[in-house]
């Protein structure tokens, strides 16, 4: 890493390369360094990510909109390297290490609020993230306390409870400006919107769908659409959310429909799997409290099949589910933003075009 950075530890590995913790010997602080494989397609993706992060930093130098802060980038023997502020675990890794025990409702509310606020900032600036998932939401600090809980069989369990639920959004490698080429398929499978699977074109609403899936997962500790197959994915959607609209079924050029109906054999083993493992959305509610109803109502509006009918993130911030958010957790001028007075985003959005 040249004379400046000393590698301390490996934080994670992925298809693109790896992320290591480094010490900046000049500035005496630690950073997360993303080292991209010396492979052309990953190098190009890294350059796109750097471009997006530089543009976001121009508009929001203090990261008030909760996107991860890029500190530096450089090339090293053909590897693109991007240095970021050090953050904690992802909300996915914390969930996994906690035995998939769901987050308390107030944490779901705070994490979802921050995620919506951050992604709305992208949308206001003509960007779609396209890869929202629990792995790409990091706690600022994932320090936790152990809490004792008792199961129905009176057995005592130790649960991790994060002390601070502040988060940052990461991974802008697939973020796409409105004027740029839109890849046909985007998003990680489980968080992929129906218009993407059906190849009907996509824009900002595909992020909203992903956020709905994420909120469900944080609240229940299970993935809403646990599948790796398009047809099965669509069958799960129909089981959980009702039939896919005729307009979308007729318009798609994919081969998943026959006369406007999903071509799916409910009696096959895959059919039984979907029936046994999925149920209508509201049947996942664990009680009938006002807060649960509000949460599921918001998730349902994010999971509207029709992108044009899906709730927008500006509307989502106004949803009653967030009315119980304590004042100290509210961000910036969210009241002004909710009223449509986006702080200068109309003047600023032009400065983002490449």
């Amino acid at each position: 890493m040249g004379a400046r950075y000393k590698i301390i530890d490996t934080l994670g590995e992925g298809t693109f390369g790896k992320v290591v913790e480094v010490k900046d010997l000049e500035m005496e602080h630690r950073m997360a360094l993303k080292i991209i494989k010396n492979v052309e397609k990953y190098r190009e993706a890294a350059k796109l990510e750097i471009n997006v992060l530089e543009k976001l930093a121009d508009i929001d130098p203090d990261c008030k909109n909760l996107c991860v802060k890029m500190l530096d980038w450089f090339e090293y023997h053909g590897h693109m390297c991007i240095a970021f502020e050090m953050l904690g675990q992802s909300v996915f890794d914390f969930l996994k290490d906690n035995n998939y025990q769901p987050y308390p409702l107030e944490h779901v509310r705070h994490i979802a609020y921050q995620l919506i606020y951050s992604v709305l900032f992208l949308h206001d600036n003509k960007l779609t993230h396209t890869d929202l998932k629990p792995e790409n939401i990091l706690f600022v600090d994932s320090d936790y306390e152990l809490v004792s809980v008792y199961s129905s069989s009176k057995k005592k369990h130790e649960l991790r409870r994060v002390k601070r639920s502040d988060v940052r959004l990461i991974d802008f490698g697939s973020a796409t400006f409105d004027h740029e080429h839109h890849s046909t398929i985007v998003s990680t499978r489980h968080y992929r919107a129906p218009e993407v699977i059906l190849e009907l074109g996509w824009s900002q609403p595909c992020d909203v769908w992903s956020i709905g899936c994420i909120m469900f997962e944080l609240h229940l500790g299970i993935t809403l659409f646990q599948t790796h197959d398009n047809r099965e994915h669509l069958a799960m959607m129909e089981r959980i959310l009702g039939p896919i609209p005729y307009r979308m079924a007729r318009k798609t050029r994919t081969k998943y429909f026959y006369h406007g109906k999903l071509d799916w054999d409910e009696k096959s083993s895959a059919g039984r799997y979907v029936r046994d493992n999925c149920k209508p959305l509201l049947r996942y509610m664990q009680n009938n409290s006002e807060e649960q109803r509000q949460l599921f109502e918001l998730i349902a509006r994010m999971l509207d099949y029709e992108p044009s009918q899906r709730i927008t993130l500006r509307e989502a911030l106004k949803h009653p589910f967030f009315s119980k958010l304590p004042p100290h957790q509210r961000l910036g001028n969210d009241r002004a933003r909710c009223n449509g007075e986006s702080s200068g985003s109309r003047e600023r959005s032009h400065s983002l075009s490449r």
Side-chain angles (χ1 to χ4, degrees):
M1 296 293 99
R4 180 161 179 184
Y5 299 111
K6 181 177 178 220
I7 295 179
I8 312 261
D9 195 8
T10 299
L11 298 172
E13 298 198 40
T15 48
F16 62 87
K18 60 182 178 180
V19 180
V20 295
E21 182 180 343
V22 298
K23 187 170 184 189
D24 180 340
L25 300 174
E26 281 181 27
M27 308 286 282
E28 279 297 310
H29 66 95
R30 294 181 178 217
M31 306 187 299
L33 190 68
K34 186 173 176 178
I35 304 171
I36 298 5
K37 281 180 188 159
N38 189 359
V39 174
E40 191 53 31
K41 69 171 181 177
Y42 296 133
R43 285 170 53 81
E44 285 310 308
K47 287 175 186 170
L48 294 175
E49 177 165 26
I50 290 163
N51 177 65
V52 170
L53 288 163
E54 286 186 331
K55 299 224 155 108
L56 295 179
D58 284 346
I59 304 166
D60 180 17
D62 301 325
C63 297
K64 289 192 167 80
N65 290 283
L66 313 186
C67 298
V68 67
K69 189 179 185 70
M70 178 172 71
L71 302 173
D72 188 15
W73 67 270
F74 53 91
E75 257 187 275
Y76 182 76
H77 296 304
H79 296 274
M80 300 298 294
C81 300
I82 314 175
F84 295 101
E85 59 184 326
M86 271 296 288
L87 295 166
Q89 267 191 312
S90 73
V91 299
F92 174 76
D93 284 333
F94 191 91
L95 184 71
K96 187 175 77 173
D97 290 352
N98 208 16
N99 233 341
Y100 295 98
Q101 290 300 311
Y103 288 93
L105 194 64
E106 64 269 26
H107 287 173
V108 176
R109 182 185 283 115
H110 187 214
I111 294 166
Y113 170 82
Q114 294 171 89
L115 178 59
I116 291 167
Y117 186 92
S118 188
V119 179
L120 173 57
F121 164 66
L122 303 182
H123 290 185
D124 277 347
N125 285 291
K126 300 186 172 7
L127 263 171
T128 307
H129 185 284
T130 79
D131 197 16
L132 297 173
K133 54 184 175 181
E135 291 90 332
N136 285 341
I137 306 161
L138 266 51
F139 285 115
V140 172
D141 177 358
S142 45
D143 199 15
Y144 59 86
E145 54 201 3
L146 287 173
V147 183
S148 296
V149 291
Y150 293 88
S151 65
S152 50
S153 58
K154 300 281 189 289
K155 277 183 89 168
K156 185 174 161 183
H157 293 280
E158 296 264 277
L159 269 192
R160 295 179 177 191
R161 196 181 156 106
V162 72
K163 289 179 181 173
R164 282 181 55 210
S165 47
D166 305 63
V167 295
R168 295 290 180 269
L169 182 59
I170 68 158
D171 199 347
F172 294 84
S174 312
T176 305
F177 285 104
D178 289 358
H179 69 274
E180 291 179 311
H181 169 73
H182 282 38
S183 311
T184 308
I185 301 298
V186 290
S187 307
T188 297
R189 156 67 66 196
H190 309 87
Y191 310 96
R192 189 174 292 156
E195 64 269 25
V196 178
I197 297 172
L198 298 177
E199 300 180 12
L200 296 172
W202 54 267
S203 60
Q204 280 80 4
C206 79
D207 280 345
V208 179
W209 178 279
S210 303
I211 294 174
C213 298
I214 292 166
M215 287 172 66
F216 178 95
E217 193 168 326
L218 298 180
H219 177 59
L220 287 163
I222 55 175
T223 311
L224 181 55
F225 299 110
Q226 186 62 56
T227 178
H228 293 284
D229 175 80
N230 279 340
R231 198 181 297 269
E232 185 174 78
H233 197 164
L234 295 167
M236 287 180 162
M237 287 180 185
E238 293 212 323
R239 174 97 171 113
I240 294 167
L241 302 166
I244 289 164
Y246 185 72
R247 181 199 76 83
M248 294 176 81
R250 292 296 286 184
K251 205 172 162 201
T252 182
R253 297 168 85 156
T254 59
K255 302 286 187 278
Y256 307 124
F257 293 86
Y258 184 71
H259 293 315
K261 274 194 142 42
L262 185 64
D263 186 10
W264 177 252
D265 180 4
E266 292 191 1
K267 295 185 175 61
S268 65
S269 62
R272 284 197 301 278
Y273 171 79
V274 169
R275 202 175 56 247
D276 294 346
N277 288 280
C278 302
K279 55 191 178 186
L281 183 65
L282 295 182
R283 287 186 29 207
Y284 286 96
M285 283 173 60
Q286 291 158 321
N287 60 53
N288 204 20
S289 70
E290 184 62 22
E291 289 182 297
Q292 283 257 326
R293 281 209 305 277
Q294 288 171 347
L295 170 62
F296 275 83
E297 202 270 336
L298 177 53
I299 291 172
R301 296 209 43 210
M302 291 179 155
L303 300 180
D304 195 307
Y305 284 119
E306 286 281 7
S308 61
Q309 302 296 306
R310 218 168 279 156
I311 193 170
T312 66
L313 296 183
R314 180 163 279 107
E315 292 164 343
L317 280 181
K318 289 193 241 181
H319 193 276
F321 177 61
F322 295 117
S323 60
K324 278 219 169 107
L325 195 74
H328 72 272
Q329 289 185 344
R330 293 190 176 275
L331 290 161
N333 52 353
D334 87 331
R335 290 176 197 81
R337 280 172 72 160
C338 287
N339 294 331
E341 302 158 23
S342 177
S343 64
S345 70
R346 275 181 295 283
E347 303 87 62
R348 285 172 170 161
S349 58
H350 304 300
S351 66
L352 275 178
S353 47
R354 281 195 182 145

